[in-house]
Amino acid sequence: MRQFRLGVAGAGKIVRDQHLDAIRATEGLELVASADPHSRLEDVASYASLEEMLDAEPDIDAVAICTPAHLRHRLASQALARGKAVLLEKPPGATLAEVQDLKAQAEKAGLTLFAAWHSRFAPGIAAAAEWLAGRRVEGVDIRWHEDVRVWHPGQAWLWEAGGMGVFDPGINALSIVTALLPDPFFLKRANLVVPANAQTPIAATLEWRTADGVLLSGDFDFRHEDPPCWEMTFVTDGGTLTLEAGGARLIADGRTLIDEPEREYQGVYAHFHSLLEAGQRDMDITPLQQVADALMLGHRQATEAFVDDDGSA
Amino acid sequence: MRQFRLGVAGAGKIVRDQHLDAIRATEGLELVASADPHSRLEDVASYASLEEMLDAEPDIDAVAICTPAHLRHRLASQALARGKAVLLEKPPGATLAEVQDLKAQAEKAGLTLFAAWHSRFAPGIAAAAEWLAGRRVEGVDIRWHEDVRVWHPGQAWLWEAGGMGVFDPGINALSIVTALLPDPFFLKRANLVVPANAQTPIAATLEWRTADGVLLSGDFDFRHEDPPCWEMTFVTDGGTLTLEAGGARLIADGRTLIDEPEREYQGVYAHFHSLLEAGQRDMDITPLQQVADALMLGHRQATEAFVDDDGSA
């Protein structure tokens, strides 16, 4: 197994909560450095910027970009320009123009680029794909509900333009459906419920159709009492499949096939390693396109102002 | 010169105003039929649906899809499935998912597909590209102002979700800039002014940057007294270039290089003919991506309700 030396750009909460353990658990990957102007990691060389890190550690093979989304394009471009492979946390950029450009850069340079939609690596997803493979999907129903005060406390950026609101978690559901459905699907209508003091939806209902007319419905809601409901159901000509707990639990016709603890990021890094070994890319931007379509086509309906638990609005 | 037999799907105002004369003026193209459930064209066989048209006229080589945007994906898919080349009026679909899918279908089938951004064929555009080729662009300023009551009377769909508002004409400006600038550019901020009774902006100001930091600014406004101002200026290291009248007039450092009557659709069909002869595709979706980015990232600011001249809101 080939060994690859990894640096992370951004050393914030998601890196500490998820990436560090997942990288350590992945054979063939070694974390050697981090770059963050505000935060240092223990046990690895820490630099204040990506440029410093790449200057000081020329042997780095790949960089995981885990900064806020609006910084990803600039940093990923820097890494690609220096011949490094790149993993992008989700979403892979702030705009479609950015992610298309990164894709074009990586293709031109022949470098590995991976848009890491972590929910695609939930324990039940691979088995769901297998189960669905022999069946014809006749309908999909997505329910993605959580309490924003519990899961995103104080994240005021969620409510600002570009923050995506309920689509910040909702894009995880879309990343699963786009991976599991063999056919593309097209937004037909969307209703976006937007707090009077916010720019982004606190809830959304959506309807898509495949070219064959199969209906997909989505219900995304931040106003949900804990525990969260991250579920979707596939109705097929050969039974009904339900993913629960964000994909950690898989139930076919009432029978539980998978029920495992969440370990999505191990799957992310195992896949990244296989892309690095094969010199391949996996830069699927369809989940972000679906969110853009929802925000472009959705009908906005005002609702009461949102006030976070800390009193911020 | 090879001859191609053409059908049009949709026989509404844009077809009568622009497409018919342009097709007639294009050597190598012959309009043989139209498909529209509500409207018949003189001098060509008229059918109520695309399917009827293609059944009755199996020799048709290509179909121009000139229906409202939300019908384009279905009709273009039908035409491609029957082996026909396709021209799409702008915008090429209602959603990004639709246009990506059409692109994929055409590539798979090896068929010609043309997203016809008509403003790219304004008289001054080719000369502008030539003039810019030897120079470094240091800034771009877009001013796209028109009186919506004069140019879009009674078009209530403009104000509904998906209607794009001021980006309906604004996408023409974006189609020019994306064609003329060699480098991609990325939205950094956008302010969208949305009437209290509308879903879409009546005005918008935007700022983009290229990877090299070149600033592009855009000012789109529907609240402009006639005559319209459809202009953009490129500041370069070798002088200043201005496109006026939507690209019909080209001025370099104060000297008028081009000032010709509008004949965009002749350029559209001449290009379509060359694509048909070469068996090539031209399915650039960057203008629609830029609009989606603006609607995804833009900060919405409410303004007074819009009332059309006929009293409708």
Side-chain angles (χ1 to χ4, degrees), chain B residues 12-26:
Chain B
K13 185 171 157 50
I14 189 72
V15 167
R16 291 162 198 275
D17 288 355
Q18 297 283 0
H19 290 254
L20 293 183
D21 284 349
I23 296 169
R24 273 189 210 109
T26 307

Side-chain angles (χ1 to χ4, degrees), chain A residues 268-289:
Chain A
V268 164
Y269 277 99
H271 185 58
F272 190 42
H273 185 271
S274 72
L275 292 173
L276 288 168
E277 272 202 315
Q280 288 174 339
R281 282 172 290 285
D282 180 357
M283 184 67 182
D284 180 18
I285 68 171
T286 53
L288 186 61
Q289 277 181 340

Side-chain angles (χ1 to χ4, degrees), chain A residues 70 73 94-98 100-101 161-162 164 184-188 199 211 285 288-293 295-301, chain B residues 70 73 94-98 100-101 161-162 164 184-188 199 211 285 288-293 295-301:
Chain A
H70 69 280
H73 177 261
T95 61
L96 294 159
E98 286 181 358
Q100 287 286 21
D101 181 59
M164 289 193 189
F185 50 93
F186 312 104
L187 189 68
K188 294 303 167 182
Q199 287 284 324
I285 68 171
L288 186 61
Q289 277 181 340
Q290 287 289 356
V291 170
D293 282 343
L295 293 170
M296 178 160 67
L297 220 73
H299 181 96
R300 281 159 193 260
Q301 171 196 334
Chain B
H70 70 279
H73 178 261
T95 61
L96 293 159
E98 286 181 358
Q100 287 286 20
D101 181 59
M164 289 195 189
F185 49 93
F186 312 104
L187 189 69
K188 294 301 166 182
Q199 287 286 324
I285 67 171
L288 186 62
Q289 277 182 341
Q290 287 290 355
V291 169
D293 282 343
L295 293 170
M296 178 160 65
L297 221 73
H299 181 96
R300 283 159 192 259
Q301 171 195 333

Side-chain angles (χ1 to χ4, degrees), chain A residues 217-240:
Chain A
S217 57
D219 187 354
F220 301 82
D221 207 324
F222 259 160
R223 303 162 303 181
H224 181 82
E225 230 175 86
D226 228 28
C229 160
W230 295 317
E231 301 183 358
M232 63 183 70
T233 299
F234 297 82
V235 178
T236 79
D237 61 349
T240 295

Side-chain angles (χ1 to χ4, degrees), chain A residues 256-275:
Chain A
T256 300
L257 303 182
I258 308 253
D259 189 358
E260 293 180 9
E262 188 269 299
R263 48 169 169 68
E264 295 172 5
Y265 281 82
Q266 287 188 42
V268 164
Y269 277 99
H271 185 58
F272 190 42
H273 185 271
S274 72
L275 292 173

Side-chain angles (χ1 to χ4, degrees), chain A residues 52-106:
Chain A
E52 270 183 50
M53 179 176 85
L54 295 180
D55 283 344
E57 308 273 354
D59 293 345
I60 283 178
D61 301 297
V63 179
I65 314 275
C66 307
T67 63
H70 69 280
L71 301 173
R72 287 198 191 124
H73 177 261
R74 184 169 58 79
L75 296 173
S77 298
Q78 274 179 30
L80 291 169
R82 296 179 69 151
K84 310 302 180 187
V86 167
L87 175 154
L88 298 161
E89 248 294 352
K90 71 105 199 181
T95 61
L96 294 159
E98 286 181 358
V99 298
Q100 287 286 21
D101 181 59
L102 290 179
K103 199 172 168 180
Q105 283 186 51

